[in-house]
Every structure is written in structure tokens, then in C-alpha cells.
Amino acid sequence: KAVPIQSTKFVFPAGYQSGEISSGPFARLFLDFENGNEAINYHEVFIYNEDTFSVDRGEKAYHLIKTRNSDEIILAENLPSNYLYAYVFATEQQSPDITSLSFDFFGSTSTANVFFTDFYIVVQTVPKDYYLYKKSLYEHLDALAFSERFELTNLYSPSVFKEITPVYTNIHGGKGIFAGISRSEMLTRCNIVGFGCE
């Protein structure tokens, strides 16, 4: 069953990031949703927004937003990164009955158009097969990934020996995933307060 989203909140600026490539303020989106009824519930969450240029051309297109999440529930999943387009995670039936998450994003989406952009946050209830498939897919793709950038500490011991894990499948005699999902979605806008969003 789809889990109801209780509330979302958009904050900008939520802080300031200084990096080698770009620097500036970042946005944070908060999400509260009800836990499922099963002993263990599996979910996927992501955020997207509308491509404002596509409206001028008369054809709607959307962007998945790459976000950073440092919540304990996400970090406990041991995904290859906590900077992704979508996160899968499991929750147990617990008290309180609300799961709270927050997502940071940085770049042109959050700085140039943040005051005029509609953000859609999606929580999908997924079966265990989908959860295992997505986690194994992240690990598989991470092992295949190559980056020309590296930190000095990795200069003499680079991670070149990553094990390429097989992608989980529930198709007997084949590869792939067959699963159904239930989806909840909530529109979130900037609530302008002074020179920011709250």
C-alpha cells in the first residue's frame, strides 16, 4: 500500500557549501511520511522538478534531482554513496509512526530558480525483490564506475579491486526484475520569507 506523506518543507538557503568546482548556498527539503503496516517496509524516495524551458516549447519534461542524504536510516543501508538520484531503504514497524528524512541539493536548480520551481517528492512502497534489485544495481554500477578525479590519500592505493556484484533478479532462467510499486507524491514550493524559503 502507498504510505501517506504527512508533510514536506523546503528551506533555502539551508547552508553554504564550498568545493573545488563550485561554491554557494544549498537547499534542503524535509519529508515526513507514515510508516507502513508490515513488520519490515521497503521504500524508494526521490525528488523531481519540471524543466521550465520545456514549457516554452509546449512539451513537458522533468529533471530528477541528485540529492545528498545523511540520515541514519539511509546511511544504515550502506549504499555506495549518499549523493544519489534515488534512495532505497527499509523501515521496521516502530513508534513513532512517522519517518522523517531530509535531502540537500546544490547547483543551478537550487540557486537560480528555487523561488519559482515546483518540487515533487515521491515515496514509493516497493516489494523486497525491488529493494534487493536496486541495492545490487547501485553496487554493480559503482564497481564499474571510473573517475578521473581522486584524493591524494588514494594515490598509492586506489580502489581498483572493487568486486563486481551480480544484479539481483527474480526472473527464473533470465535476468531482470518483476515487481509492483505504490506511489505517494507531494508538491512542495518555496514559501518566501524575506530573501529565502521556509
Side-chain angles (χ1 to χ4, degrees):
K1 294 181 179 179
V3 291
I5 296 175
Q6 292 295 313
S7 65
T8 60
K9 181 180 179 183
F10 188 78
V11 176
F12 178 82
Y16 187 87
Q17 176 177 320
S18 179
E20 294 178 10
I21 299 173
S22 56
S23 300
F26 63 86
R28 179 169 292 159
L29 197 149
F30 295 92
L31 162 69
D32 293 327
F33 67 92
E34 290 184 16
N35 289 325
N37 297 324
E38 304 298 326
I40 300 178
N41 300 277
Y42 301 97
H43 302 287
E44 181 176 43
V45 62
F46 58 89
I47 302 168
Y48 73 93
N49 69 338
E50 190 173 315
D51 182 346
T52 53
F53 296 107
S54 69
V55 177
D56 298 335
R57 297 191 301 265
E59 52 188 44
K60 287 200 171 190
Y62 300 88
H63 295 285
L64 279 173
I65 299 174
K66 195 171 188 181
T67 62
R68 183 174 304 281
N69 184 295
S70 297
D71 292 309
E72 184 177 336
I73 197 168
I74 300 296
L75 295 178
E77 292 294 337
N78 198 26
L79 298 169
S81 172
N82 66 331
Y83 184 52
L84 299 168
Y85 288 103
Y87 297 88
V88 288
F89 57 95
T91 60
E92 295 183 9
Q93 242 186 357
Q94 55 189 358
S95 185
D97 298 330
I98 302 295
T99 295
S100 299
L101 298 171
S102 64
F103 303 89
D104 295 344
F105 48 101
F106 177 83
S108 58
T109 302
S110 60
T111 54
N113 301 320
V114 69
F115 297 102
F116 312 105
T117 300
D118 292 341
F119 296 96
Y120 298 87
I121 190 157
V122 177
V123 178
Q124 297 183 150
T125 304
V126 302
K128 186 176 181 179
D129 281 335
Y130 181 95
Y131 164 82
L132 294 173
Y133 162 75
K134 212 61 180 284
K135 283 195 76 171
S136 67
L137 180 62
Y138 284 147
E139 292 170 3
H140 184 84
L141 294 175
D142 180 62
L144 295 175
F146 169 78
S147 175
E148 72 280 0
R149 296 180 68 236
F150 59 87
E151 295 177 0
L152 192 58
T153 53
N154 292 331
L155 181 60
Y156 299 105
S157 56
S159 300
V160 294
F161 300 107
K162 289 182 182 177
E163 183 180 348
I164 299 178
T165 57
V167 177
Y168 177 86
T169 177
N170 66 358
I171 307 295
H172 296 291
K175 295 191 181 292
I177 184 74
F178 182 81
I181 60 172
S182 296
R183 177 181 172 123
S184 297
E185 183 174 309
M186 183 172 280
L187 168 64
T188 305
R189 292 189 175 113
C190 169
N191 180 20
I192 298 177
V193 177
F195 298 100
C197 306
E198 282 187 15

